Amino acid sequence: MNDDKTTMQELKNKMAQFVCERDWEQYHSPKNLSMTIAIEAAELMEKFQWLGVAESRKEIACNKKEIEEELADIFSGLLSFAYFYGIDLSNAFEHKMEKNEQKYPVKEVKGKGIKAINLCRKMYAKCKN
Amino acid sequence: MNDDKTTMQELKNKMAQFVCERDWEQYHSPKNLSMTIAIEAAELMEKFQWLGVAESRKEIACNKKEIEEELADIFSGLLSFAYFYGIDLSNAFEHKMEKNEQKYPVKEVKGKGIKAINLCRKMYAKCKN
Amino acid sequence: MNDDKTTMQELKNKMAQFVCERDWEQYHSPKNLSMTIAIEAAELMEKFQWLGVAESRKEIACNKKEIEEELADIFSGLLSFAYFYGIDLSNAFEHKMEKNEQKYPVKEVKGKGIKAINLCRKMYAKCKN
Amino acid sequence: MNDDKTTMQELKNKMAQFVCERDWEQYHSPKNLSMTIAIEAAELMEKFQWLGVAESRKEIACNKKEIEEELADIFSGLLSFAYFYGIDLSNAFEHKMEKNEQKYPVKEVKGKGIKAINLCRKMYAKCKN
């Protein structure tokens, strides 16, 4: 499987097959799967916990295989959630991106970055130093 | 876009375009993106925090749109990470599934569930009640 | 040390001594410490990930020592954050509890539970089943 | 309440009173409380998500009140867990610190930092650049 040719449905199906062959659907409640995704996300963070933002880029070159596994674990939780609860992830993603495009119009935000934008909007109003 | 036809590469490209149009690559370090994924995963958990495992299934029917948005946010972080750090998610997923299939062989685990297996292996050895 | 006699300041001091003896203050930025707390919180969740809400109570009796260690790790992150950034946790807790008491008045919420309250307020308005 | 004089037991009692007055013990299962702590930890991270490690220090001066509230929320979850499941946090912390002192002896780690130590031990063995 590779990203160029694999559709989301193929990935969801593969995940579901793994779960169903083991009769594990019963454990894949939304509550449990949301915990799974968060737990796996924390394992990814652990790789970068004590690194500076710049060092974290180097870390990937050095430790790619482990990082790929953590990403795969997060992705598995997402695919299982989407499969068992009838969510079209491509469609959900497309809609969310439309919302984000309106929230952060290129003209207004380009070159300023998320930090400048979000922080200025929310925070620096309250803070005079 | 829909899961039947959309490839992972198309999703990654769409995500990257959004980021690059805004000159936000500079903020998308691995460290920051791992935080993003974990933060969005926690927002998904929040929907199910006080619900019983069974109730959490009902919650989806009732609150689908918000849940789709949370899943899309997690997915965005994953797609951005994969795009900017050269990771083929389909491939990483396939390899991880092979590992999981060997770790949890159908014959050994079917009908017992993750809980029975993991807990029995790790924990109930130490615990006699 | 025990909860009956130990003050928060004694705990903060003990944590700071550990960090400073090792010259680790430089790594204890707020960003890094917030990641630490989240990572340790995920390790606590992992203990309960596949358990029903009721089973999770039993789990504690069976596995108390490991759970105490996870709680201690989360607490360490909190103490370090409070020490190095001049936060009085007792005071912050007291103020937040005052806010929560106003947000959830006993008369209005007693016997209904967080779930009933939050969900009814936010969600069931939108949902007719 | 302030950290100089307040004992852990006083804080636990205050938390328990808040919960019990509302009949909310039923929702405070270990599973749910572990989610609460993780969710609140993610809200703390959100404050530092897009900031450099150094900038995150400045952020505190600018935004102290909100950060205190996030820390208080995490602390509440920890206190409730400790109260309802009979855990002495001071004692658990003291034991974990003894373990950490043996794991990271001052002589071996001083001036090298967590990063140098953990990464060198685990990772740079595998990585030749």
Side-chain angles (χ1 to χ4, degrees):
Chain A
M1 287 179 140
N2 62 67
D3 285 352
D4 276 333
K5 296 206 178 144
T6 312
T7 64
M8 283 300 289
Q9 194 58 49
E10 289 168 317
L11 294 162
K12 281 159 72 172
N13 290 347
K14 188 171 176 59
M15 184 66 210
Q17 191 191 344
F18 177 84
V19 174
C20 294
E21 278 175 358
R22 285 158 184 78
D23 283 343
W24 282 356
E25 310 88 293
Q26 55 188 315
Y27 302 109
H28 284 224
S29 69
K31 179 165 181 139
N32 286 358
L33 285 174
S34 74
M35 293 175 83
T36 299
I37 297 169
I39 290 166
E40 301 300 344
E43 290 184 13
L44 180 66
M45 279 205 296
E46 212 179 343
K47 307 287 180 205
F48 309 113
Q49 179 177 13
W50 302 112
L51 302 178
V53 167
E55 289 166 303
S56 78
R57 293 177 200 268
K58 253 207 290 191
E59 168 66 11
I60 293 196
C62 181
N63 206 14
K64 196 158 188 177
K65 205 168 174 99
E66 283 182 40
I67 287 163
E68 283 178 342
E69 290 205 3
E70 300 303 348
L71 290 168
D73 284 336
I74 300 167
F75 196 29
S76 300
L78 211 55
L79 291 170
S80 192
F81 199 116
Y83 183 92
F84 288 110
Y85 301 100
I87 287 161
D88 189 302
L89 276 173
S90 306
N91 195 256
F93 171 71
E94 189 180 28
H95 283 298
K96 192 63 205 283
M97 292 310 279
E98 280 164 19
K99 252 180 128 167
N100 286 343
E101 274 157 20
Q102 292 182 333
K103 193 172 169 190
Y104 302 113
V106 172
K107 274 190 196 169
E108 189 187 333
V109 307
K110 184 166 181 169
K112 293 188 203 161
I114 301 167
K115 186 181 51 186
I117 299 151
N118 278 343
L119 294 186
C120 289
R121 278 188 189 161
K122 287 187 209 157
M123 210 171 64
Y124 290 150
K126 294 174 274 178
C127 180
K128 316 291 169 196
N129 55 337
Chain B
M1 287 178 140
N2 63 67
D3 285 351
D4 275 333
K5 297 208 177 143
T6 312
T7 65
M8 282 299 290
Q9 194 58 50
E10 289 168 317
L11 294 161
K12 281 158 74 172
N13 290 347
K14 188 171 175 60
M15 184 67 211
Q17 191 190 343
F18 177 85
V19 173
C20 294
E21 278 175 358
R22 285 157 183 79
D23 284 344
W24 282 358
E25 309 89 292
Q26 55 188 313
Y27 302 110
H28 283 224
S29 69
K31 179 166 181 139
N32 286 358
L33 285 175
S34 74
M35 294 175 82
T36 299
I37 296 169
I39 290 165
E40 301 300 345
E43 291 184 11
L44 180 66
M45 280 204 295
E46 213 180 342
K47 307 288 180 203
F48 308 112
Q49 181 176 13
W50 301 112
L51 303 179
V53 167
E55 290 166 302
S56 78
R57 294 176 200 268
K58 254 206 288 190
E59 168 66 9
I60 293 195
C62 181
N63 205 13
K64 195 156 189 179
K65 208 173 172 97
E66 283 182 39
I67 287 164
E68 284 178 342
E69 291 204 3
E70 299 303 348
L71 290 168
D73 285 336
I74 300 167
F75 197 29
S76 300
L78 211 55
L79 290 170
S80 192
F81 199 115
Y83 183 91
F84 288 110
Y85 301 101
I87 287 162
D88 189 302
L89 277 173
S90 307
N91 196 255
F93 171 69
E94 188 180 29
H95 282 299
K96 193 63 203 285
M97 292 309 279
E98 279 164 20
K99 252 180 128 166
N100 286 343
E101 273 157 20
Q102 292 182 333
K103 195 174 168 189
Y104 303 111
V106 173
K107 274 190 197 170
E108 189 186 334
V109 307
K110 184 165 181 169
K112 293 187 204 162
I114 301 168
K115 186 180 52 186
I117 299 151
N118 277 344
L119 294 187
C120 288
R121 278 187 191 162
K122 287 186 209 156
M123 210 170 65
Y124 290 152
K126 292 174 276 178
C127 181
K128 314 294 167 196
N129 55 336
Chain C
M1 287 178 139
N2 63 67
D3 286 351
D4 276 334
K5 298 207 174 142
T6 312
T7 65
M8 283 299 290
Q9 193 58 49
E10 290 168 316
L11 293 162
K12 280 159 74 172
N13 290 347
K14 189 171 175 59
M15 185 66 209
Q17 192 190 343
F18 176 85
V19 174
C20 294
E21 279 174 358
R22 284 158 184 78
D23 284 344
W24 282 357
E25 310 89 294
Q26 57 189 312
Y27 303 108
H28 284 223
S29 68
K31 179 165 179 138
N32 286 358
L33 285 174
S34 74
M35 293 175 84
T36 298
I37 296 169
I39 289 166
E40 301 300 344
E43 290 185 11
L44 180 66
M45 279 204 295
E46 213 180 340
K47 307 287 181 206
F48 308 112
Q49 181 175 12
W50 302 112
L51 302 179
V53 167
E55 289 165 304
S56 78
R57 294 177 200 268
K58 253 206 289 191
E59 169 66 10
I60 293 197
C62 180
N63 206 11
K64 195 156 189 179
K65 207 168 173 101
E66 283 183 39
I67 287 164
E68 284 178 342
E69 291 205 4
E70 299 303 347
L71 290 167
D73 285 336
I74 300 167
F75 197 29
S76 300
L78 211 54
L79 291 169
S80 192
F81 199 115
Y83 183 92
F84 289 109
Y85 301 101
I87 287 161
D88 189 302
L89 276 174
S90 307
N91 195 257
F93 171 70
E94 190 181 27
H95 283 299
K96 192 63 203 283
M97 291 310 279
E98 280 164 18
K99 253 181 128 165
N100 286 342
E101 274 156 20
Q102 293 182 332
K103 194 173 169 190
Y104 303 111
V106 173
K107 272 189 198 173
E108 189 187 332
V109 307
K110 184 166 180 167
K112 293 187 205 163
I114 301 167
K115 185 180 51 185
I117 299 150
N118 277 344
L119 294 188
C120 289
R121 279 188 189 160
K122 287 186 211 157
M123 209 169 65
Y124 289 152
K126 293 174 275 178
C127 181
K128 314 293 169 197
N129 56 336
Chain D
M1 287 179 140
N2 63 66
D3 285 350
D4 275 333
K5 297 206 176 142
T6 312
T7 65
M8 283 298 291
Q9 193 59 50
E10 290 169 317
L11 294 161
K12 280 158 73 172
N13 290 346
K14 190 173 175 59
M15 184 67 210
Q17 192 191 343
F18 176 85
V19 175
C20 294
E21 279 176 357
R22 285 158 183 76
D23 285 342
W24 283 357
E25 310 87 295
Q26 55 189 313
Y27 303 110
H28 284 223
S29 68
K31 179 164 180 140
N32 286 358
L33 285 174
S34 73
M35 293 174 83
T36 298
I37 297 169
I39 290 165
E40 301 299 346
E43 291 183 11
L44 180 66
M45 279 205 296
E46 213 179 342
K47 307 288 180 204
F48 308 114
Q49 180 176 13
W50 301 112
L51 303 178
V53 166
E55 288 166 305
S56 78
R57 294 177 199 269
K58 253 206 288 193
E59 168 65 10
I60 293 196
C62 181
N63 206 13
K64 196 157 190 178
K65 207 169 173 98
E66 282 182 40
I67 286 164
E68 282 178 344
E69 291 205 4
E70 299 303 349
L71 289 168
D73 285 336
I74 300 168
F75 198 27
S76 300
L78 211 54
L79 291 169
S80 192
F81 199 115
Y83 183 91
F84 289 109
Y85 301 100
I87 286 161
D88 189 302
L89 276 174
S90 306
N91 196 256
F93 172 69
E94 189 180 28
H95 283 298
K96 192 62 203 285
M97 292 310 278
E98 279 164 20
K99 251 180 128 166
N100 286 343
E101 274 157 19
Q102 293 182 333
K103 194 173 168 188
Y104 302 112
V106 173
K107 273 189 196 169
E108 190 187 332
V109 308
K110 184 166 181 167
K112 293 185 204 165
I114 301 166
K115 185 181 51 186
I117 299 151
N118 278 344
L119 294 187
C120 287
R121 278 190 191 159
K122 287 185 211 158
M123 208 170 66
Y124 289 153
K126 293 173 276 177
C127 181
K128 315 291 168 197
N129 55 336

